[in-house]
mmCIF file of all heavy atoms in Angstrom:
data_model
loop_
_atom_site.group_PDB
_atom_site.id
_atom_site.type_symbol
_atom_site.label_atom_id
_atom_site.label_comp_id
_atom_site.label_asym_id
_atom_site.label_seq_id
_atom_site.Cartn_x
_atom_site.Cartn_y
_atom_site.Cartn_z
ATOM 1 N N GLY A 48 79.322 226.830 41.947
ATOM 2 C CA GLY A 48 80.434 225.893 41.862
ATOM 3 C C GLY A 48 81.471 226.401 40.882
ATOM 4 O O GLY A 48 81.125 227.011 39.865
ATOM 5 N N PHE A 49 82.734 226.153 41.198
ATOM 6 C CA PHE A 49 83.799 226.605 40.304
ATOM 7 C C PHE A 49 84.886 225.546 40.258
ATOM 8 O O PHE A 49 85.574 225.302 41.250
ATOM 9 C CB PHE A 49 84.396 227.936 40.788
ATOM 10 C CG PHE A 49 84.950 228.766 39.681
ATOM 11 C CD1 PHE A 49 84.265 229.862 39.207
ATOM 12 C CD2 PHE A 49 86.145 228.413 39.086
ATOM 13 C CE1 PHE A 49 84.771 230.616 38.154
ATOM 14 C CE2 PHE A 49 86.663 229.154 38.038
ATOM 15 C CZ PHE A 49 85.972 230.272 37.568
ATOM 16 N N GLY A 50 84.996 224.892 39.103
ATOM 17 C CA GLY A 50 86.024 223.890 38.891
ATOM 18 C C GLY A 50 87.160 224.461 38.071
ATOM 19 O O GLY A 50 86.961 225.377 37.273
ATOM 20 N N VAL A 51 88.359 223.937 38.281
ATOM 21 C CA VAL A 51 89.537 224.388 37.552
ATOM 22 C C VAL A 51 90.308 223.172 37.048
ATOM 23 O O VAL A 51 90.512 222.214 37.787
ATOM 24 C CB VAL A 51 90.455 225.256 38.444
ATOM 25 C CG1 VAL A 51 91.729 225.654 37.690
ATOM 26 C CG2 VAL A 51 89.728 226.494 38.941
ATOM 27 N N VAL A 52 90.708 223.235 35.791
ATOM 28 C CA VAL A 52 91.598 222.236 35.208
ATOM 29 C C VAL A 52 92.863 222.979 34.791
ATOM 30 O O VAL A 52 92.804 223.868 33.948
ATOM 31 C CB VAL A 52 90.969 221.555 33.973
ATOM 32 C CG1 VAL A 52 91.958 220.594 33.331
ATOM 33 C CG2 VAL A 52 89.691 220.832 34.344
ATOM 34 N N GLU A 53 93.991 222.651 35.424
ATOM 35 C CA GLU A 53 95.270 223.259 35.072
ATOM 36 C C GLU A 53 96.024 222.304 34.164
ATOM 37 O O GLU A 53 96.179 221.129 34.491
ATOM 38 C CB GLU A 53 96.095 223.548 36.325
ATOM 39 C CG GLU A 53 95.493 224.622 37.202
ATOM 40 C CD GLU A 53 96.334 224.908 38.430
ATOM 41 O OE1 GLU A 53 97.146 224.034 38.831
ATOM 42 O OE2 GLU A 53 96.174 225.991 39.002
ATOM 43 N N THR A 54 96.503 222.833 33.031
ATOM 44 C CA THR A 54 97.136 221.979 32.035
ATOM 45 C C THR A 54 98.165 222.768 31.237
ATOM 46 O O THR A 54 98.126 224.006 31.211
ATOM 47 C CB THR A 54 96.067 221.383 31.090
ATOM 48 O OG1 THR A 54 96.702 220.563 30.112
ATOM 49 C CG2 THR A 54 95.255 222.461 30.409
ATOM 50 N N THR A 55 99.072 222.059 30.605
ATOM 51 C CA THR A 55 100.015 222.710 29.687
ATOM 52 C C THR A 55 99.440 222.758 28.276
ATOM 53 O O THR A 55 99.985 223.419 27.414
ATOM 54 C CB THR A 55 101.365 221.962 29.645
ATOM 55 O OG1 THR A 55 101.139 220.612 29.220
ATOM 56 C CG2 THR A 55 102.036 221.973 31.002
ATOM 57 N N ASP A 56 98.342 222.060 28.050
ATOM 58 C CA ASP A 56 97.727 221.993 26.716
ATOM 59 C C ASP A 56 96.222 222.168 26.849
ATOM 60 O O ASP A 56 95.464 221.191 26.886
ATOM 61 C CB ASP A 56 98.071 220.659 26.056
ATOM 62 C CG ASP A 56 97.650 220.600 24.591
ATOM 63 O OD1 ASP A 56 97.037 221.577 24.096
ATOM 64 O OD2 ASP A 56 97.931 219.573 23.947
ATOM 65 N N ASP A 57 95.781 223.418 26.932
ATOM 66 C CA ASP A 57 94.364 223.700 27.162
ATOM 67 C C ASP A 57 93.482 223.264 25.995
ATOM 68 O O ASP A 57 92.329 222.905 26.194
ATOM 69 C CB ASP A 57 94.133 225.170 27.504
ATOM 70 C CG ASP A 57 94.760 226.139 26.519
ATOM 71 O OD1 ASP A 57 95.736 225.781 25.840
ATOM 72 O OD2 ASP A 57 94.274 227.283 26.437
ATOM 73 N N ALA A 58 94.030 223.244 24.793
ATOM 74 C CA ALA A 58 93.237 222.856 23.620
ATOM 75 C C ALA A 58 92.713 221.426 23.754
ATOM 76 O O ALA A 58 91.590 221.132 23.332
ATOM 77 C CB ALA A 58 94.051 223.008 22.345
ATOM 78 N N VAL A 59 93.500 220.543 24.357
ATOM 79 C CA VAL A 59 93.082 219.148 24.521
ATOM 80 C C VAL A 59 91.809 219.065 25.365
ATOM 81 O O VAL A 59 90.921 218.258 25.085
ATOM 82 C CB VAL A 59 94.218 218.307 25.149
ATOM 83 C CG1 VAL A 59 93.732 216.937 25.578
ATOM 84 C CG2 VAL A 59 95.372 218.178 24.187
ATOM 85 N N ILE A 60 91.698 219.919 26.371
ATOM 86 C CA ILE A 60 90.511 219.928 27.233
ATOM 87 C C ILE A 60 89.360 220.662 26.541
ATOM 88 O O ILE A 60 88.238 220.164 26.487
ATOM 89 C CB ILE A 60 90.832 220.586 28.595
ATOM 90 C CG1 ILE A 60 92.030 219.909 29.272
ATOM 91 C CG2 ILE A 60 89.599 220.596 29.490
ATOM 92 C CD1 ILE A 60 91.856 218.451 29.591
ATOM 93 N N ILE A 61 89.643 221.841 25.993
ATOM 94 C CA ILE A 61 88.598 222.652 25.357
ATOM 95 C C ILE A 61 88.000 221.925 24.149
ATOM 96 O O ILE A 61 86.807 222.056 23.871
ATOM 97 C CB ILE A 61 89.148 224.045 24.983
ATOM 98 C CG1 ILE A 61 89.524 224.803 26.269
ATOM 99 C CG2 ILE A 61 88.135 224.841 24.170
ATOM 100 C CD1 ILE A 61 90.369 226.038 26.053
ATOM 101 N N ASP A 62 88.804 221.126 23.465
ATOM 102 C CA ASP A 62 88.299 220.348 22.320
ATOM 103 C C ASP A 62 87.240 219.331 22.735
ATOM 104 O O ASP A 62 86.519 218.807 21.889
ATOM 105 C CB ASP A 62 89.441 219.620 21.604
ATOM 106 C CG ASP A 62 90.300 220.560 20.762
ATOM 107 O OD1 ASP A 62 89.890 221.721 20.553
ATOM 108 O OD2 ASP A 62 91.391 220.132 20.327
ATOM 109 N N ARG A 63 87.115 219.065 24.025
ATOM 110 C CA ARG A 63 86.110 218.120 24.534
ATOM 111 C C ARG A 63 84.840 218.854 24.994
ATOM 112 O O ARG A 63 84.040 218.309 25.742
ATOM 113 C CB ARG A 63 86.709 217.307 25.681
ATOM 114 C CG ARG A 63 87.855 216.411 25.202
ATOM 115 C CD ARG A 63 88.545 215.692 26.336
ATOM 116 N NE ARG A 63 87.651 214.792 27.037
ATOM 117 C CZ ARG A 63 87.976 214.133 28.146
ATOM 118 N NH1 ARG A 63 89.185 214.274 28.670
ATOM 119 N NH2 ARG A 63 87.103 213.337 28.743
ATOM 120 N N LEU A 64 84.645 220.082 24.531
ATOM 121 C CA LEU A 64 83.525 220.917 24.960
ATOM 122 C C LEU A 64 82.176 220.210 24.827
ATOM 123 O O LEU A 64 81.347 220.274 25.739
ATOM 124 C CB LEU A 64 83.512 222.226 24.161
ATOM 125 C CG LEU A 64 82.502 223.266 24.603
ATOM 126 C CD1 LEU A 64 82.866 223.813 25.976
ATOM 127 C CD2 LEU A 64 82.418 224.394 23.595
ATOM 128 N N ASP A 65 81.961 219.517 23.708
ATOM 129 C CA ASP A 65 80.675 218.835 23.488
ATOM 130 C C ASP A 65 80.417 217.741 24.520
ATOM 131 O O ASP A 65 79.275 217.380 24.779
ATOM 132 C CB ASP A 65 80.606 218.240 22.082
ATOM 133 C CG ASP A 65 80.501 219.315 21.009
ATOM 134 O OD1 ASP A 65 80.165 220.465 21.346
ATOM 135 O OD2 ASP A 65 80.772 219.005 19.837
ATOM 136 N N GLU A 66 81.450 217.225 25.106
ATOM 137 C CA GLU A 66 81.351 216.212 26.154
ATOM 138 C C GLU A 66 81.273 216.872 27.539
ATOM 139 O O GLU A 66 80.569 216.396 28.432
ATOM 140 C CB GLU A 66 82.606 215.331 26.054
ATOM 141 C CG GLU A 66 82.738 214.243 27.046
ATOM 142 C CD GLU A 66 84.109 213.550 26.940
ATOM 143 O OE1 GLU A 66 84.933 213.894 26.069
ATOM 144 O OE2 GLU A 66 84.341 212.669 27.772
ATOM 145 N N LEU A 67 81.980 217.989 27.697
ATOM 146 C CA LEU A 67 82.057 218.653 29.006
ATOM 147 C C LEU A 67 80.797 219.436 29.364
ATOM 148 O O LEU A 67 80.356 219.408 30.517
ATOM 149 C CB LEU A 67 83.274 219.582 29.059
ATOM 150 C CG LEU A 67 84.623 218.885 29.102
ATOM 151 C CD1 LEU A 67 85.759 219.880 28.868
ATOM 152 C CD2 LEU A 67 84.806 218.151 30.414
ATOM 153 N N LEU A 68 80.193 220.137 28.393
ATOM 154 C CA LEU A 68 79.027 220.968 28.712
ATOM 155 C C LEU A 68 77.864 220.169 29.296
ATOM 156 O O LEU A 68 77.315 220.573 30.332
ATOM 157 C CB LEU A 68 78.582 221.777 27.492
ATOM 158 C CG LEU A 68 79.510 222.925 27.098
ATOM 159 C CD1 LEU A 68 79.019 223.589 25.814
ATOM 160 C CD2 LEU A 68 79.650 223.948 28.214
ATOM 161 N N PRO A 69 77.465 219.044 28.704
ATOM 162 C CA PRO A 69 76.381 218.274 29.324
ATOM 163 C C PRO A 69 76.751 217.757 30.715
ATOM 164 O O PRO A 69 75.898 217.674 31.595
ATOM 165 C CB PRO A 69 76.143 217.103 28.362
ATOM 166 C CG PRO A 69 76.841 217.444 27.110
ATOM 167 C CD PRO A 69 77.888 218.456 27.431
ATOM 168 N N GLU A 70 78.027 217.454 30.920
ATOM 169 C CA GLU A 70 78.466 216.983 32.232
ATOM 170 C C GLU A 70 78.408 218.108 33.263
ATOM 171 O O GLU A 70 78.029 217.883 34.410
ATOM 172 C CB GLU A 70 79.887 216.407 32.155
ATOM 173 C CG GLU A 70 80.319 215.710 33.415
ATOM 174 C CD GLU A 70 79.456 214.502 33.775
ATOM 175 O OE1 GLU A 70 78.906 213.839 32.878
ATOM 176 O OE2 GLU A 70 79.325 214.212 34.987
ATOM 177 N N ILE A 71 78.753 219.326 32.839
ATOM 178 C CA ILE A 71 78.660 220.475 33.744
ATOM 179 C C ILE A 71 77.197 220.669 34.165
ATOM 180 O O ILE A 71 76.901 220.877 35.342
ATOM 181 C CB ILE A 71 79.234 221.749 33.090
ATOM 182 C CG1 ILE A 71 80.739 221.593 32.850
ATOM 183 C CG2 ILE A 71 78.964 222.977 33.955
ATOM 184 C CD1 ILE A 71 81.355 222.687 31.981
ATOM 185 N N VAL A 72 76.282 220.560 33.204
ATOM 186 C CA VAL A 72 74.847 220.694 33.517
ATOM 187 C C VAL A 72 74.415 219.601 34.488
ATOM 188 O O VAL A 72 73.719 219.864 35.481
ATOM 189 C CB VAL A 72 73.992 220.650 32.227
ATOM 190 C CG1 VAL A 72 72.513 220.573 32.565
ATOM 191 C CG2 VAL A 72 74.285 221.854 31.349
ATOM 192 N N ALA A 73 74.836 218.365 34.230
ATOM 193 C CA ALA A 73 74.441 217.239 35.085
ATOM 194 C C ALA A 73 74.975 217.415 36.506
ATOM 195 O O ALA A 73 74.242 217.218 37.486
ATOM 196 C CB ALA A 73 74.944 215.918 34.490
ATOM 197 N N VAL A 74 76.225 217.810 36.645
ATOM 198 C CA VAL A 74 76.822 217.999 37.972
ATOM 199 C C VAL A 74 76.144 219.169 38.681
ATOM 200 O O VAL A 74 75.872 219.098 39.885
ATOM 201 C CB VAL A 74 78.351 218.204 37.860
ATOM 202 C CG1 VAL A 74 78.955 218.634 39.192
ATOM 203 C CG2 VAL A 74 79.017 216.927 37.357
ATOM 204 N N LYS A 75 75.840 220.209 37.944
ATOM 205 C CA LYS A 75 75.131 221.363 38.512
ATOM 206 C C LYS A 75 73.795 220.920 39.107
ATOM 207 O O LYS A 75 73.451 221.281 40.243
ATOM 208 C CB LYS A 75 74.916 222.409 37.411
ATOM 209 C CG LYS A 75 74.112 223.619 37.806
ATOM 210 C CD LYS A 75 73.960 224.548 36.596
ATOM 211 C CE LYS A 75 72.947 225.629 36.816
ATOM 212 N NZ LYS A 75 72.799 226.500 35.632
#
Side-chain angles (χ1 to χ4, degrees):
F49 208 104
V51 177
V52 176
E53 293 181 338
T54 179
T55 59
D56 189 357
D57 52 335
V59 169
I60 305 299
I61 295 166
D62 285 348
R63 295 175 62 186
L64 187 68
D65 290 343
E66 179 187 358
L67 290 169
L68 288 176
E70 189 62 30
I71 295 169
V72 171
V74 170
K75 176 181 168 181

